[in-house]
Amino acid sequence: MPIGKISKSGGGFRGLSSYVLAEGKEAEKLEKKPEILEKNNIYSNNARDISREFREVANLNKRITKPVGHFSVSFDPKENISREKQLEFTKNVVKEMGLDEKKHQYVIISHSDKKHFHHHVAFNRVDLEGKVLNDSFTKNKLEVAIDKQEKKMNLDNSLAETRRFIYDENAEKQYRTIGRKFLENKKVSDTKKGVATKKEFISDKIRE
């Protein structure tokens, strides 16, 4: 039952690179140094040079002020998914998120600083042709991508009912909302973690 977490688009490649690679001020926060598992159209190995490569491509489109993309995928140790299969899962999710290995820059980095082993994917929304990857509804896209790969790779899919959108190969757009069931689960979750953001609250009321 992998779990995906999306971050808002940002403007600082250096900050993100330092965080995912635990360099500079971030170095003390991790007991074990992160490992670069995959580099795509990126050739450096340290935060400063990786961020520089990202920035050079981002400069192909001067209109974009937030070219920095970032999401993570966490794995439940109880599932005993091999490291090879974890990487395969994350790479499949990367493709589902619209990142083309021929056009986009991204790095996949492993972290083991929490109970759940997880991957960070840092990417450039600006591709090698200067075109920009749409960052609308990325949280929903990531939910569908995670759900799809769980089903395709025969992994535990028990968290599907907690998601707003799930993969459905028979649907016109290959995804669907699970509607009220999600809302009922969300109410229980919100009671535990506090009041949802205003935006999420309004969205849920509209769906109800």
Side-chain angles (χ1 to χ4, degrees), residues 40-43 53-54 57-58 60 94 98-106 123-133:
N40 195 72
N41 293 314
I42 290 289
Y43 306 96
E53 288 189 51
F54 275 140
V57 172
L60 294 175
V94 165
L99 293 165
D100 187 334
E101 62 181 6
K102 293 182 180 179
K103 297 180 180 180
H104 287 98
Q105 294 174 302
Y106 60 81
F123 62 93
N124 196 342
R125 290 182 56 224
V126 180
D127 68 19
L128 299 179
E129 298 176 350
K131 298 179 181 179
V132 183
L133 183 69

Side-chain angles (χ1 to χ4, degrees), residues 9-81:
S9 300
F13 285 111
R14 182 61 187 275
L16 174 59
S17 297
S18 295
Y19 170 68
V20 297
L21 289 170
E23 294 184 10
K25 294 180 180 179
E26 302 293 335
E28 300 177 357
K29 297 181 180 181
L30 297 181
E31 295 181 2
K32 186 176 180 180
K33 186 172 178 60
E35 178 184 359
I36 297 177
L37 302 179
E38 187 90 5
K39 293 187 296 184
N40 195 72
N41 293 314
I42 290 289
Y43 306 96
S44 302
N45 294 303
N46 62 75
R48 182 186 64 182
D49 292 337
I50 287 176
S51 62
R52 187 176 296 167
E53 288 189 51
F54 275 140
R55 178 52 62 185
E56 286 177 356
V57 172
N59 286 340
L60 294 175
N61 193 320
K62 299 288 188 180
R63 295 173 297 175
I64 301 302
T65 58
K66 295 183 178 181
V68 182
H70 174 218
F71 66 86
S72 62
V73 180
S74 299
F75 300 91
D76 189 338
K78 295 179 181 179
E79 276 198 274
N80 293 317
I81 306 173

Side-chain angles (χ1 to χ4, degrees), residues 72-128:
S72 62
V73 180
S74 299
F75 300 91
D76 189 338
K78 295 179 181 179
E79 276 198 274
N80 293 317
I81 306 173
S82 69
R83 295 298 171 88
E84 292 76 19
K85 198 166 186 178
Q86 288 178 353
L87 180 56
E88 179 186 356
F89 185 95
T90 300
K91 289 172 68 174
N92 289 341
V93 170
V94 165
K95 293 178 182 178
E96 293 295 334
M97 292 297 287
L99 293 165
D100 187 334
E101 62 181 6
K102 293 182 180 179
K103 297 180 180 180
H104 287 98
Q105 294 174 302
Y106 60 81
V107 290
I108 301 175
I109 298 165
S110 67
H111 273 208
S112 56
D113 57 316
K114 296 181 179 180
K115 292 181 179 180
H116 289 186
F117 184 85
H118 58 287
H119 294 161
H120 285 277
V121 179
F123 62 93
N124 196 342
R125 290 182 56 224
V126 180
D127 68 19
L128 299 179

Side-chain angles (χ1 to χ4, degrees), residues 185-197:
N185 283 315
K186 182 172 175 57
K187 288 177 182 177
V188 174
S189 176
D190 287 342
T191 300
K192 294 179 179 178
K193 70 181 181 181
V195 181
T197 62

